[in-house]
């Protein structure tokens, strides 16, 4: 701001000199940055290498005495939790349980090497498993496979044949025949690889800032809507009803319709098992939540339930006697690595985008949340690299998409986790299952896995209970949450994500297009001004109107700004000019009808009297610009036109509380005259200075006319 000069003895003299603009030219800055980046040195290479693999920095400094116990205990507990969750989430992904175990193992190892967060648990995540499963189901169905039973329907026949469909896929120069299971994991691996590539590209181009457009309300709504879809997908396992897997779009409604149509085929054994498992799991969770301060180590309820249920199912022959669906064979060891089928990428390239976005958004948000809680720093860009490689590398080992998961991260922190060494311990637990114990889960009922998944959704589904409080707190966020939930549940998770992002951004645009506008009045016996509609006993200033516009002024809200200003001030200068011109024209016509000179003089006097009587009491409009963050070209032109129009009806326009960006924009637009010569008469540091200036100007005009 150039300053405000003294106009009378009562006016405070304030003058601030703006610093000279020493900004470097863009071309010079780019050359300097390129030169700095391109110069390579041993020290710089070492820093880049250790930055890319943070484990090299912190592991040699590992404090065994301080950290070992907490890391080992949290790693063991997370590993025990991971095993049943991995097997359960395979139902969501439409894949065999062994692939979920592979995913959990590799994700923990890679994040240990590349991650910067000390606490987050990276691995299988129910939401990502669902998103992968929807793509897998779609592509498996399009390839001619049956979604449920590895059988195909013969054309023109209602009978099913027990023949396995195969499809040719290419791996480099080799063409192989691939069955349903092989094709499903090929799709999942290609999808995961592509999502990882997207995340690496986002990290290279430093697009981590995109996560700021995923509001908390939208992410919560997306997770809740997806939870409804997950719950719906598990109900058929819960009650043992055999219905076809529904397509992703409209899956919730279609599945419930099919469930009610086939409710008579309910498996009583599965219903009883599910009721017992849910009761035990919920009771254990509630007890754990209630006594979490006393119980330092969370109970491995899921593992206990799985072990007991597997033993009961095995020794009671539930599969053979009652037709209860079981997990089946889970092989031990590792399948040889395989390059993802690049020929499939064209089919799933678009599907990988929301997968990549959701994966990195949850990982970065959780990393930053726990880093802030425990007072250390994480590098958002390195986190994107880490989660990208947690998808790319495992895709060669028959794995699917991963991200950080809140529930497991909370368990890690509550059990004493200090560093990512706990992830290695968890990986070892999963490795032991992969090498030795996986076949023991053969008789595990799928309804038990469904129970584990459904109970794990408690936190997300409880968000419905918080909706009334959210509505009272912020109606816009409550609407965003509701719209995202509806789109994610009723349409599909991908569409829900897009709708949530778009709706969030539209709500921001609407709030800046139709912002709050107020007329200010003076607080008694003070130099402060507030909204006259919101506070009692404020003093309006005679002949002065003070208008506050609480948003940036740009092309999208220009019309609303002018309409609000004219309405609250009580005068549209354009209409006032037209009214006065019509009045002048009318009187002149009356004068022309009179031929006598004395009548002309009388009418001229009448004209002057009419114009004076019709003159408004309004003399000054003050714009409080404290909430105007910026002006675009349209905003500058709007204020210039406003100043000109009010000047024509002899009303002054003063500005108060402008930030430097607004002042510079107006200066460039010539608002303050040539070389800002009138700036001291038009611009003020606060509203009270502008009011005092307007009053003194009015007094000066009154004195000159007396």
């Amino acid at each position: 701001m150039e300053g405000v000069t003294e106009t009378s003895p009562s006016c405070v003299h304030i003058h601030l000199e703006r610093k000279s603009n020493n900004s470097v030219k863009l071309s010079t800055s780019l050359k300097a940055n390129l030169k700095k980046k391109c110069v390579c040195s041993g020290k710089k290479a070492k820093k880049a290498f250790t930055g890319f693999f943070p484990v090299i920095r912190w592991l040699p400094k590992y404090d065994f005495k301080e950290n070992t116990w907490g890391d080992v205990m949290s790693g063991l507990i997370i590993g025990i939790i991971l095993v049943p969750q991995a097997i359960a989430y395979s139902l969501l992904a439409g894949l065999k349980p062994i692939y979920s175990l592979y995913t959990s193992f590799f994700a923990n190892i890679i994040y240990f090497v590349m991650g910067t967060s000390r606490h987050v648990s990276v691995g299988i995540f129910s939401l990502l498993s669902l998103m992968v499963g929807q793509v897998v189901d779609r592509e498996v169905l399009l390839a001619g496979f049956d979604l449920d039973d590895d059988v195909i329907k013969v054309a023109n026949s209602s009978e099913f044949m027990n023949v396995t469909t195969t499809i040719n896929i290419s791996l480099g120069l080799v063409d192989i025949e691939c069955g349903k299971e092989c094709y499903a994991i090929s799709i999942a691996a290609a999808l995961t690889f592509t999502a990882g590539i997207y995340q690496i590209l986002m990290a290279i181009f430093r697009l981590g800032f995109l996560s700021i457009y995923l509001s908390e309300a939208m992410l919560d709504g997306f997770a809740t809507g997806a939870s409804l879809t997950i719950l719906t997908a598990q109900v058929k396992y819960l009650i043992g009803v055999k219905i076809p897997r529904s397509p992703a779009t409209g899956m919730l409604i279609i599945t419930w319709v099919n469930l009610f149509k086939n409710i008579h085929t309910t498996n009583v054994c599965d219903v009883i098992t599910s009721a017992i498992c849910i009761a035990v799991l919920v009771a254990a969770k509630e007890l754990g939540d209630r006594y979490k301060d006393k119980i330092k180590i969370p109970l491995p309820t899921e593992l206990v339930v799985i072990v007991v249920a597997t033993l009961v199912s095995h020794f009671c022959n539930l599969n053979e006697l009652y037709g209860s669906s079981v997990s089946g064979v889970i092989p031990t060891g590792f399948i040889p690595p395989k390059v993802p089928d690049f020929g499939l990428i064209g089919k799933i390239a678009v599907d990988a985008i929301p997968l990549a976005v959701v994966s990195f958004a949850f990982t970065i948000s959780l990393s930053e949340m726990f880093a802030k809680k425990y007072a250390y720093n994480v590098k958002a860009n390195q986190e994107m690299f880490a989660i990208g490689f947690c998808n790319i590398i495992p895709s060669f080992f028959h794995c699917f998409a991963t991200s950080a998961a809140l529930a497991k991260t909370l368990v890690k922190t509550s059990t004493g986790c200090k560093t990512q060494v706990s992830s290695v311990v968890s990986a070892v637990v999963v490795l032991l299952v992969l090498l030795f114990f996986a076949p023991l889960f053969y008789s595990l009922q799928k309804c038990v896995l469904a129970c584990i998944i459904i109970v794990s959704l408690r936190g997300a589904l409880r968000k419905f209970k918080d909706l009334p409080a959210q509505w009272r707190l912020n109606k816009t966020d409550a609407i965003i949450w509701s719209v995202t939930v509806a789109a994610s549940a009723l349409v599909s998770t991908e569409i829900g994500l897009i709708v949530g992002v778009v709706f969030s951004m539209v709500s921001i645009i609407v709030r800046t297009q139709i912002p709050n506008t107020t007329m200010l009045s003076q607080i008694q016996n003070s130099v402060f001004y507030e909204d006259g509609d919101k506070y009692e006993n404020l003093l309006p200033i005679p002949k002065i109107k003070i208008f506050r516009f609480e948003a940036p002024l740009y092309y999208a809200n220009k019309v609303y700004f002018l309409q609000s200003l004219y309405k609250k001030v009580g005068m549209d200068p354009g209409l006032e000019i037209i009214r006065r011109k019509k009045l002048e024209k009318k009187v002149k016509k009356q004068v022309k009808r009179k031929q006598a000179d004395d009548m002309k003089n009388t009418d001229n006097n009448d004209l002057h009297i009419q114009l004076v009587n019709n003159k408004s009491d309004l003399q000054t409009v003050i714009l409080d610009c404290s909430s105007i963050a910026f002006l675009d070209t349209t905003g500058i032109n709007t204020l210039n036109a406003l100043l000109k129009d009010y000047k024509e009806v002899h009303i002054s326009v003063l500005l108060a509380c402008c930030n430097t960006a607004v002042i510079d924009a107006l200066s460039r637009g010539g608002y303050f005259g040539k070389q800002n010569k009138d700036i001291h008469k038009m611009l003020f540091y606060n509203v009270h200075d502008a009011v005092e200036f307007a009053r003194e100007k009015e007094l000066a005009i009154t004195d000159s006319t007396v």
Side-chain angles (χ1 to χ4, degrees):
M1 193 181 288
E2 299 290 336
V4 178
T5 56
E6 188 175 6
T7 57
S8 71
S10 63
C11 211
V12 179
H13 177 76
I14 301 174
H15 186 76
L16 292 177
E17 292 291 338
R18 287 288 296 275
K19 291 182 177 180
S20 59
N21 186 2
N22 297 321
S23 60
V24 182
K25 288 184 178 180
L26 180 62
S27 58
T28 306
S29 176
L30 284 173
K31 286 179 182 177
N33 284 330
L34 283 173
K35 185 178 179 181
K36 185 178 178 182
K37 296 287 184 184
C38 292
V39 173
C40 187
S41 65
K43 185 178 180 181
K44 197 171 182 180
K46 181 182 177 182
K47 184 179 178 182
F49 185 76
T50 56
F52 197 71
F53 299 105
V55 68
I56 299 173
R57 290 183 178 179
W58 63 263
L59 191 58
K61 303 173 185 177
Y62 186 78
D63 189 337
F64 286 90
K65 184 178 179 181
E66 183 72 22
N67 300 333
T68 303
W69 175 253
D71 284 342
V72 170
M73 286 304 300
S74 64
L76 284 173
I77 291 166
I78 291 298
I80 291 168
I81 292 173
L82 271 175
V83 172
Q85 280 195 350
I87 298 171
Y89 289 167
S90 64
L91 297 179
L92 294 175
L95 301 167
K96 298 296 182 181
I98 190 67
Y99 302 124
S100 298
L101 293 169
Y102 289 159
T103 302
S104 298
F105 173 75
F106 284 106
N108 276 282
I109 294 296
I110 295 168
Y111 190 81
F112 161 75
V113 174
M114 300 189 67
T116 60
S117 172
R118 301 173 191 170
H119 296 93
V120 298
S121 175
V122 174
I124 52 171
F125 182 34
S126 58
L127 181 53
L128 293 185
S129 299
L130 174 69
M131 296 174 74
V132 170
Q134 290 176 339
V135 179
V136 168
D137 286 350
R138 185 194 69 206
E139 293 302 321
V140 165
L141 193 62
L142 290 174
F145 295 102
D146 185 86
L147 286 179
D148 294 297
D149 297 310
D150 278 339
V151 292
I152 56 170
K153 195 172 184 179
V154 181
N156 302 319
S157 174
S158 59
E159 296 181 357
F160 288 90
M161 294 181 62
N162 292 319
V163 292
T164 303
T165 309
T166 60
I167 190 169
N168 286 325
I169 63 172
S170 62
L171 299 175
L173 300 174
V174 182
D175 289 340
I176 64 170
E177 280 195 345
C178 196
K180 177 191 167 184
E181 181 184 338
C182 166
Y183 189 65
I185 191 57
S186 297
I187 290 290
L191 180 66
T192 302
F193 176 82
T194 309
I197 292 295
Y198 289 155
Q199 289 166 335
I200 296 300
L201 291 174
M202 292 168 74
I204 291 172
F205 293 105
R206 299 187 178 274
L207 299 179
F209 70 90
L210 292 175
S211 63
I212 65 177
Y213 295 105
L214 304 177
S215 67
E216 185 177 344
M218 189 280 294
L219 285 174
D220 280 347
F222 178 62
T224 305
S227 297
L228 291 174
T229 304
I230 293 169
L231 185 149
T232 299
Q234 299 309 301
V235 172
K236 69 175 184 179
Y237 299 111
L238 208 67
I239 61 177
V241 173
K242 297 187 182 300
I243 59 172
R245 293 171 70 106
S246 304
T249 305
M251 174 264 187
L252 186 138
I253 296 174
I254 295 171
T255 300
W256 281 106
V257 169
N258 287 334
L259 281 170
F260 283 111
K261 282 183 178 178
N262 295 276
I263 198 70
H264 60 281
T265 63
T266 298
N267 188 301
V268 177
C269 177
D270 284 344
V271 172
I272 294 172
T273 304
S274 299
I276 295 171
C277 290
I278 288 178
V280 172
L281 288 167
V282 170
K285 295 289 184 184
E286 292 297 327
L287 287 172
D289 292 342
R290 183 171 297 182
Y291 299 105
K292 61 184 177 182
D293 295 331
K294 296 180 180 179
I295 304 174
K296 299 300 181 182
I297 300 175
L299 300 173
T301 317
E302 290 93 344
L303 186 64
V304 172
V305 167
I306 280 186
V307 170
V308 173
T310 303
L311 291 173
V312 171
S313 175
H314 175 72
F315 289 107
C316 295
N317 259 341
L318 298 183
N319 175 243
E320 296 176 8
L321 295 178
Y322 302 103
S324 182
S325 181
V326 296
S327 298
V329 177
I330 303 177
T332 56
F334 287 90
I335 303 173
K338 184 173 70 174
V339 178
D341 182 13
F342 299 126
L344 298 174
I345 291 178
K347 298 180 180 181
I348 47 80
V350 175
D351 301 294
I353 296 174
L355 197 69
V357 170
V358 172
S359 176
F360 96 78
F362 276 97
T363 302
I364 289 178
S365 60
L366 285 176
S367 298
E368 291 179 344
M369 181 173 75
F370 283 92
K372 184 178 180 180
K373 182 177 179 180
Y374 291 97
Y376 63 91
N377 294 319
V378 294
K379 296 179 180 179
N381 217 54
Q382 179 59 26
E383 286 294 293
M384 290 179 66
F385 275 118
I387 199 63
F389 281 104
C390 279
N391 285 322
I392 290 176
I393 296 173
S395 69
F396 288 79
F397 295 89
H398 315 279
C399 301
F400 55 91
T402 58
S403 79
L406 176 60
K408 290 194 286 291
T409 303
L410 288 172
V411 172
K412 282 185 80 168
T413 56
S414 66
T415 51
C417 172
K418 301 294 183 182
T419 70
Q420 283 298 329
V421 168
S422 62
S423 295
V424 177
V425 178
S426 299
V428 170
V429 174
V430 176
L431 180 63
L432 291 174
V433 174
L434 278 168
L435 295 178
F436 304 108
F437 304 120
L440 299 179
F441 296 102
Y442 174 89
S443 299
L444 176 61
Q445 293 166 272
K446 288 184 177 180
C447 65
V448 177
L449 300 176
C451 292
I452 292 172
I453 293 173
I454 290 172
V455 172
S456 71
L457 302 176
R458 287 161 58 252
L461 297 176
R462 279 177 176 170
K463 296 289 183 180
F464 284 102
K465 187 176 67 174
D466 300 334
L467 185 57
Q470 180 64 53
W471 179 262
R472 290 190 296 270
L473 182 66
N474 190 305
K475 291 180 173 60
T476 303
D477 282 350
I479 293 171
I480 291 171
W481 184 88
S482 302
V483 169
T484 309
V485 168
S488 301
L490 299 178
V491 186
S492 70
T493 50
E494 290 83 358
I495 297 297
L497 180 64
I498 295 170
V499 169
V501 171
V502 171
F503 193 81
S504 297
M505 298 183 73
V506 167
S507 69
I508 294 172
I509 293 170
V510 169
R511 277 184 278 184
T512 59
Q513 277 189 293
I514 312 176
N516 188 40
T517 58
T518 59
M519 293 302 295
L520 305 183
S521 298
Q522 188 174 19
I523 300 173
Q524 295 184 34
N525 303 319
S526 76
V527 295
F528 302 107
Y529 297 78
E530 261 304 340
D531 185 355
D533 294 331
K534 299 288 178 66
Y535 295 94
E536 298 286 350
N537 303 320
L538 299 185
L539 300 176
I541 313 299
K543 300 183 180 181
I544 299 173
K545 298 288 187 181
I546 309 168
F547 177 76
R548 177 189 289 164
F549 188 72
E550 299 181 358
L553 179 55
Y554 66 114
Y555 68 93
N557 60 18
K558 162 201 167 184
V559 174
Y560 182 78
F561 168 79
L562 292 174
Q563 288 175 345
S564 301
L565 176 65
Y566 297 156
K567 182 179 179 180
K568 290 188 177 291
V569 167
M571 177 186 287
D572 182 335
L575 296 178
E576 180 66 16
I577 293 168
I578 294 170
R579 187 186 71 81
R580 292 188 181 188
K581 286 182 178 180
K582 285 183 178 179
L583 182 60
E584 288 180 11
K585 189 175 181 181
K586 180 180 178 182
V587 175
K588 285 180 180 179
K589 284 183 179 179
Q590 292 175 356
V591 171
K592 287 181 181 180
R593 293 194 190 101
K594 306 295 182 180
Q595 299 297 324
D597 292 336
D598 56 326
M599 291 300 295
K600 289 180 181 179
N601 293 334
T602 303
D603 285 334
N604 283 333
N605 290 334
D606 291 342
L607 171 62
H608 177 72
I609 291 168
Q610 288 185 57
L611 289 175
V612 170
N613 289 339
N614 281 277
K615 186 176 179 181
S616 172
D617 288 337
L618 179 63
Q619 291 189 359
T620 305
V621 173
I622 299 174
L623 301 180
D624 178 1
C625 302
S626 57
S627 298
I628 299 179
F630 65 87
L631 302 171
D632 68 352
T633 304
T634 302
I636 296 169
N637 293 337
T638 299
L639 290 181
N640 276 322
L642 189 73
L643 179 67
K644 180 182 176 183
D645 290 347
Y646 271 120
K647 189 174 182 181
E648 286 193 38
V649 294
H650 309 291
I651 294 174
S652 300
V653 177
L654 307 179
L655 306 181
C657 307
C658 296
N659 64 43
T660 54
V662 171
I663 296 168
D664 291 343
L666 290 173
S667 298
R668 291 193 298 270
Y671 184 86
F672 304 115
K674 291 183 178 179
Q675 297 182 345
N676 294 336
K677 63 183 180 66
D678 296 325
I679 193 170
H680 64 283
K681 300 177 183 177
M682 304 168 70
L683 186 63
F684 300 86
Y685 290 102
N686 55 61
V687 173
H688 188 67
D689 285 351
V691 170
E692 290 299 306
F693 179 86
R695 281 173 170 167
E696 291 171 5
K697 184 177 179 181
E698 180 189 345
L699 287 173
I701 294 172
T702 304
D703 292 342
S704 65
T705 57
V706 173

